[in-house]
Amino acid sequence: MMLLANLLVLLVALLHLYFLVLEMFLWDKPKGMKVFNLTAQKAAETKVLAANQGLYNGFLAAGLLWGLYQGDTGYDFKVFFLLCVIVAGVYGALTVGKKILYVQAMPAALALALVFFTMS
């Protein structure tokens, strides 16, 4: 069960590294504009904001990866950063679109449930 929990934490971290790449490097490129349904003008106007958002996603990924690297002693890191991801995902779902709930918050909630389960 611990392996499955850690794999899900890794998946959430990798998703956030992907979000980092999309937001920091591909925002105004065809792939980024397609993913976020942006026009070229809107992408150009919001590029700096998106890069900042991408950086924060990188911090979330780094925290999760650090928790994994720490092994059993990384429990607190995993819990804290998964909670951060869930809060960000719920907020994004409420303010931007429901898709964020399924892409960001749900995988983190499942990972958090398994992390809790493995430590009890």
Side-chain angles (χ1 to χ4, degrees):
M1 190 61 72
M2 178 68 82
L3 177 62
L4 182 57
N6 284 335
L7 285 173
L8 279 173
V9 172
L10 178 62
L11 172 67
V12 174
L14 292 175
L15 280 170
H16 281 77
L17 288 175
Y18 177 63
F19 301 154
L20 175 148
V21 170
L22 281 173
E23 294 166 349
M24 292 188 81
F25 306 111
L26 300 177
W27 187 258
D28 59 348
K29 308 293 186 280
K31 173 72 174 174
M33 291 191 307
K34 181 179 178 185
V35 168
F36 295 104
N37 196 27
L38 299 169
T39 63
Q41 179 181 349
K42 188 68 170 178
E45 291 170 356
T46 58
K47 184 176 181 175
V48 174
L49 294 172
N52 187 283
Q53 186 171 296
L55 185 62
Y56 282 95
N57 278 309
F59 291 142
L60 292 172
L64 291 169
L65 292 171
W66 182 253
L68 288 170
Y69 176 76
Q70 294 298 312
D72 289 342
T73 61
Y75 174 81
D76 291 340
F77 281 94
K78 291 182 233 179
V79 169
F80 175 78
F81 283 97
L82 287 169
L83 285 170
C84 288
V85 169
I86 293 166
V87 169
V90 169
Y91 182 79
L94 292 172
T95 59
V96 178
K98 289 183 184 176
K99 181 180 177 184
I100 295 170
L101 186 67
Y102 304 108
V103 173
Q104 185 174 351
M106 292 295 244
L110 182 56
L112 181 62
L114 286 174
V115 166
F116 279 151
F117 181 74
T118 60
M119 292 309 288
S120 27

PDB file of all heavy atoms in Angstrom, residues 77-93:
ATOM      1  N   PHE A  77       5.853  16.293   5.025  1.00  0.00           N
ATOM      2  CA  PHE A  77       6.003  17.026   3.766  1.00  0.00           C
ATOM      3  C   PHE A  77       4.921  16.607   2.779  1.00  0.00           C
ATOM      4  O   PHE A  77       4.307  17.449   2.128  1.00  0.00           O
ATOM      5  CB  PHE A  77       7.386  16.775   3.137  1.00  0.00           C
ATOM      6  CG  PHE A  77       8.478  17.578   3.751  1.00  0.00           C
ATOM      7  CD1 PHE A  77       9.242  17.058   4.780  1.00  0.00           C
ATOM      8  CD2 PHE A  77       8.762  18.854   3.305  1.00  0.00           C
ATOM      9  CE1 PHE A  77      10.251  17.795   5.353  1.00  0.00           C
ATOM     10  CE2 PHE A  77       9.773  19.606   3.867  1.00  0.00           C
ATOM     11  CZ  PHE A  77      10.527  19.077   4.903  1.00  0.00           C
ATOM     12  N   LYS A  78       4.718  15.305   2.653  1.00  0.00           N
ATOM     13  CA  LYS A  78       3.693  14.815   1.720  1.00  0.00           C
ATOM     14  C   LYS A  78       2.319  15.342   2.096  1.00  0.00           C
ATOM     15  O   LYS A  78       1.584  15.844   1.230  1.00  0.00           O
ATOM     16  CB  LYS A  78       3.691  13.287   1.687  1.00  0.00           C
ATOM     17  CG  LYS A  78       4.922  12.682   1.055  1.00  0.00           C
ATOM     18  CD  LYS A  78       4.787  11.174   1.023  1.00  0.00           C
ATOM     19  CE  LYS A  78       5.986  10.529   1.646  1.00  0.00           C
ATOM     20  NZ  LYS A  78       5.896   9.063   1.675  1.00  0.00           N
ATOM     21  N   VAL A  79       1.984  15.248   3.368  1.00  0.00           N
ATOM     22  CA  VAL A  79       0.663  15.707   3.818  1.00  0.00           C
ATOM     23  C   VAL A  79       0.507  17.204   3.568  1.00  0.00           C
ATOM     24  O   VAL A  79      -0.492  17.649   2.986  1.00  0.00           O
ATOM     25  CB  VAL A  79       0.439  15.359   5.307  1.00  0.00           C
ATOM     26  CG1 VAL A  79      -0.801  16.067   5.855  1.00  0.00           C
ATOM     27  CG2 VAL A  79       0.318  13.852   5.487  1.00  0.00           C
ATOM     28  N   PHE A  80       1.489  17.995   3.977  1.00  0.00           N
ATOM     29  CA  PHE A  80       1.392  19.444   3.812  1.00  0.00           C
ATOM     30  C   PHE A  80       1.238  19.830   2.346  1.00  0.00           C
ATOM     31  O   PHE A  80       0.343  20.603   1.980  1.00  0.00           O
ATOM     32  CB  PHE A  80       2.617  20.149   4.411  1.00  0.00           C
ATOM     33  CG  PHE A  80       2.614  21.626   4.151  1.00  0.00           C
ATOM     34  CD1 PHE A  80       1.808  22.471   4.893  1.00  0.00           C
ATOM     35  CD2 PHE A  80       3.411  22.168   3.148  1.00  0.00           C
ATOM     36  CE1 PHE A  80       1.791  23.840   4.647  1.00  0.00           C
ATOM     37  CE2 PHE A  80       3.393  23.529   2.893  1.00  0.00           C
ATOM     38  CZ  PHE A  80       2.585  24.368   3.640  1.00  0.00           C
ATOM     39  N   PHE A  81       2.106  19.307   1.476  1.00  0.00           N
ATOM     40  CA  PHE A  81       2.069  19.718   0.074  1.00  0.00           C
ATOM     41  C   PHE A  81       0.857  19.152  -0.661  1.00  0.00           C
ATOM     42  O   PHE A  81       0.312  19.812  -1.548  1.00  0.00           O
ATOM     43  CB  PHE A  81       3.396  19.413  -0.623  1.00  0.00           C
ATOM     44  CG  PHE A  81       4.462  20.399  -0.258  1.00  0.00           C
ATOM     45  CD1 PHE A  81       5.378  20.127   0.736  1.00  0.00           C
ATOM     46  CD2 PHE A  81       4.525  21.639  -0.870  1.00  0.00           C
ATOM     47  CE1 PHE A  81       6.343  21.048   1.108  1.00  0.00           C
ATOM     48  CE2 PHE A  81       5.476  22.578  -0.518  1.00  0.00           C
ATOM     49  CZ  PHE A  81       6.390  22.282   0.471  1.00  0.00           C
ATOM     50  N   LEU A  82       0.398  17.965  -0.286  1.00  0.00           N
ATOM     51  CA  LEU A  82      -0.840  17.451  -0.880  1.00  0.00           C
ATOM     52  C   LEU A  82      -2.024  18.318  -0.468  1.00  0.00           C
ATOM     53  O   LEU A  82      -2.905  18.604  -1.292  1.00  0.00           O
ATOM     54  CB  LEU A  82      -1.068  15.994  -0.487  1.00  0.00           C
ATOM     55  CG  LEU A  82      -0.152  14.981  -1.173  1.00  0.00           C
ATOM     56  CD1 LEU A  82      -0.277  13.618  -0.509  1.00  0.00           C
ATOM     57  CD2 LEU A  82      -0.436  14.892  -2.669  1.00  0.00           C
ATOM     58  N   LEU A  83      -2.058  18.751   0.784  1.00  0.00           N
ATOM     59  CA  LEU A  83      -3.117  19.664   1.222  1.00  0.00           C
ATOM     60  C   LEU A  83      -3.057  20.980   0.446  1.00  0.00           C
ATOM     61  O   LEU A  83      -4.104  21.526   0.055  1.00  0.00           O
ATOM     62  CB  LEU A  83      -3.025  19.918   2.728  1.00  0.00           C
ATOM     63  CG  LEU A  83      -3.498  18.772   3.614  1.00  0.00           C
ATOM     64  CD1 LEU A  83      -3.120  19.040   5.077  1.00  0.00           C
ATOM     65  CD2 LEU A  83      -4.992  18.543   3.476  1.00  0.00           C
ATOM     66  N   CYS A  84      -1.865  21.489   0.207  1.00  0.00           N
ATOM     67  CA  CYS A  84      -1.711  22.715  -0.593  1.00  0.00           C
ATOM     68  C   CYS A  84      -2.268  22.512  -2.001  1.00  0.00           C
ATOM     69  O   CYS A  84      -2.970  23.389  -2.531  1.00  0.00           O
ATOM     70  CB  CYS A  84      -0.245  23.127  -0.673  1.00  0.00           C
ATOM     71  SG  CYS A  84       0.428  23.779   0.864  1.00  0.00           S
ATOM     72  N   VAL A  85      -1.961  21.375  -2.599  1.00  0.00           N
ATOM     73  CA  VAL A  85      -2.456  21.075  -3.944  1.00  0.00           C
ATOM     74  C   VAL A  85      -3.980  20.998  -3.940  1.00  0.00           C
ATOM     75  O   VAL A  85      -4.645  21.526  -4.841  1.00  0.00           O
ATOM     76  CB  VAL A  85      -1.836  19.765  -4.476  1.00  0.00           C
ATOM     77  CG1 VAL A  85      -2.535  19.309  -5.749  1.00  0.00           C
ATOM     78  CG2 VAL A  85      -0.341  19.944  -4.721  1.00  0.00           C
ATOM     79  N   ILE A  86      -4.545  20.353  -2.932  1.00  0.00           N
ATOM     80  CA  ILE A  86      -6.001  20.219  -2.857  1.00  0.00           C
ATOM     81  C   ILE A  86      -6.661  21.582  -2.716  1.00  0.00           C
ATOM     82  O   ILE A  86      -7.628  21.899  -3.427  1.00  0.00           O
ATOM     83  CB  ILE A  86      -6.397  19.276  -1.699  1.00  0.00           C
ATOM     84  CG1 ILE A  86      -5.941  17.852  -2.012  1.00  0.00           C
ATOM     85  CG2 ILE A  86      -7.903  19.321  -1.450  1.00  0.00           C
ATOM     86  CD1 ILE A  86      -5.970  16.911  -0.817  1.00  0.00           C
ATOM     87  N   VAL A  87      -6.136  22.416  -1.828  1.00  0.00           N
ATOM     88  CA  VAL A  87      -6.700  23.758  -1.640  1.00  0.00           C
ATOM     89  C   VAL A  87      -6.604  24.558  -2.940  1.00  0.00           C
ATOM     90  O   VAL A  87      -7.578  25.198  -3.370  1.00  0.00           O
ATOM     91  CB  VAL A  87      -6.003  24.499  -0.476  1.00  0.00           C
ATOM     92  CG1 VAL A  87      -6.383  25.971  -0.442  1.00  0.00           C
ATOM     93  CG2 VAL A  87      -6.346  23.819   0.847  1.00  0.00           C
ATOM     94  N   ALA A  88      -5.454  24.507  -3.590  1.00  0.00           N
ATOM     95  CA  ALA A  88      -5.282  25.233  -4.859  1.00  0.00           C
ATOM     96  C   ALA A  88      -6.237  24.684  -5.923  1.00  0.00           C
ATOM     97  O   ALA A  88      -6.819  25.454  -6.705  1.00  0.00           O
ATOM     98  CB  ALA A  88      -3.838  25.130  -5.336  1.00  0.00           C
ATOM     99  N   GLY A  89      -6.413  23.377  -5.949  1.00  0.00           N
ATOM    100  CA  GLY A  89      -7.314  22.768  -6.927  1.00  0.00           C
ATOM    101  C   GLY A  89      -8.770  23.133  -6.692  1.00  0.00           C
ATOM    102  O   GLY A  89      -9.514  23.422  -7.640  1.00  0.00           O
ATOM    103  N   VAL A  90      -9.199  23.145  -5.449  1.00  0.00           N
ATOM    104  CA  VAL A  90     -10.575  23.527  -5.133  1.00  0.00           C
ATOM    105  C   VAL A  90     -10.795  25.004  -5.465  1.00  0.00           C
ATOM    106  O   VAL A  90     -11.806  25.374  -6.084  1.00  0.00           O
ATOM    107  CB  VAL A  90     -10.904  23.234  -3.649  1.00  0.00           C
ATOM    108  CG1 VAL A  90     -12.219  23.873  -3.235  1.00  0.00           C
ATOM    109  CG2 VAL A  90     -10.938  21.726  -3.408  1.00  0.00           C
ATOM    110  N   TYR A  91      -9.836  25.838  -5.093  1.00  0.00           N
ATOM    111  CA  TYR A  91      -9.950  27.259  -5.409  1.00  0.00           C
ATOM    112  C   TYR A  91     -10.004  27.468  -6.932  1.00  0.00           C
ATOM    113  O   TYR A  91     -10.830  28.236  -7.438  1.00  0.00           O
ATOM    114  CB  TYR A  91      -8.786  28.044  -4.803  1.00  0.00           C
ATOM    115  CG  TYR A  91      -8.885  29.525  -5.051  1.00  0.00           C
ATOM    116  CD1 TYR A  91      -9.729  30.321  -4.290  1.00  0.00           C
ATOM    117  CD2 TYR A  91      -8.149  30.135  -6.072  1.00  0.00           C
ATOM    118  CE1 TYR A  91      -9.835  31.674  -4.515  1.00  0.00           C
ATOM    119  CE2 TYR A  91      -8.253  31.496  -6.305  1.00  0.00           C
ATOM    120  CZ  TYR A  91      -9.099  32.261  -5.525  1.00  0.00           C
ATOM    121  OH  TYR A  91      -9.198  33.603  -5.775  1.00  0.00           O
ATOM    122  N   GLY A  92      -9.129  26.772  -7.645  1.00  0.00           N
ATOM    123  CA  GLY A  92      -9.142  26.876  -9.101  1.00  0.00           C
ATOM    124  C   GLY A  92     -10.452  26.401  -9.704  1.00  0.00           C
ATOM    125  O   GLY A  92     -10.968  26.996 -10.649  1.00  0.00           O
ATOM    126  N   ALA A  93     -11.016  25.347  -9.157  1.00  0.00           N
ATOM    127  CA  ALA A  93     -12.293  24.838  -9.654  1.00  0.00           C
ATOM    128  C   ALA A  93     -13.412  25.849  -9.431  1.00  0.00           C
ATOM    129  O   ALA A  93     -14.298  25.998 -10.278  1.00  0.00           O
ATOM    130  CB  ALA A  93     -12.630  23.512  -8.972  1.00  0.00           C
TER     131      ALA A  93
END
